[in-house]
Amino acid sequence: MHHLKNVWEWLINHWVMPTPAELIAEELIQAQRTKLRHQSSMEYHTALVSYNVARIKRLEGLTAKQEVAE
């Protein structure tokens, strides 16, 4: 318990309440981070879909060549 008292005293003496501008800046940073994560996941999804579409077209092309050869 003595340790918690020391931690509490340190927080009281060293922690400073953020200003409204700092709080707003932190909120904007969090929003930008969330937006970038969403964009990144969308870009990954788009790339994956494009890759799969290209594979399907290639396989269809191979299938068409095999049908012609038969």
Side-chain angles (χ1 to χ4, degrees), residues 4 6 8 10 12 16 18 21 24-25 28 32-34 38 42 44-45 52 54-55 60 64 67-68:
L4 292 176
N6 290 341
W8 182 250
W10 184 89
I12 292 171
V16 178
I24 291 170
L28 289 172
Q32 186 67 21
R33 191 175 292 144
T34 301
H38 177 71
M42 292 302 294
Y44 175 78
H45 176 73
N52 286 335
R55 285 181 64 197
E60 287 174 348
E67 289 175 358
V68 170

Side-chain angles (χ1 to χ4, degrees), residues 3-15:
H3 173 71
L4 292 176
K5 184 179 177 187
N6 290 341
V7 170
W8 182 250
E9 288 175 6
W10 184 89
L11 283 172
I12 292 171
N13 292 330
H14 293 90
W15 187 73

Side-chain angles (χ1 to χ4, degrees), residues 17-70:
M17 180 70 178
T19 64
E22 290 171 333
L23 292 172
I24 291 170
E26 183 64 31
E27 190 172 326
L28 289 172
I29 289 168
Q30 291 294 339
Q32 186 67 21
R33 191 175 292 144
T34 301
K35 178 182 173 187
L36 290 173
R37 282 187 183 131
H38 177 71
Q39 285 177 344
S40 178
S41 68
M42 292 302 294
E43 289 170 1
Y44 175 78
H45 176 73
T46 302
L48 194 58
V49 169
S50 297
Y51 172 75
N52 286 335
V53 167
R55 285 181 64 197
I56 290 168
K57 285 183 180 179
R58 192 191 76 197
L59 290 172
E60 287 174 348
L62 292 173
T63 305
K65 286 181 184 177
Q66 286 178 349
E67 289 175 358
V68 170
E70 294 174 354

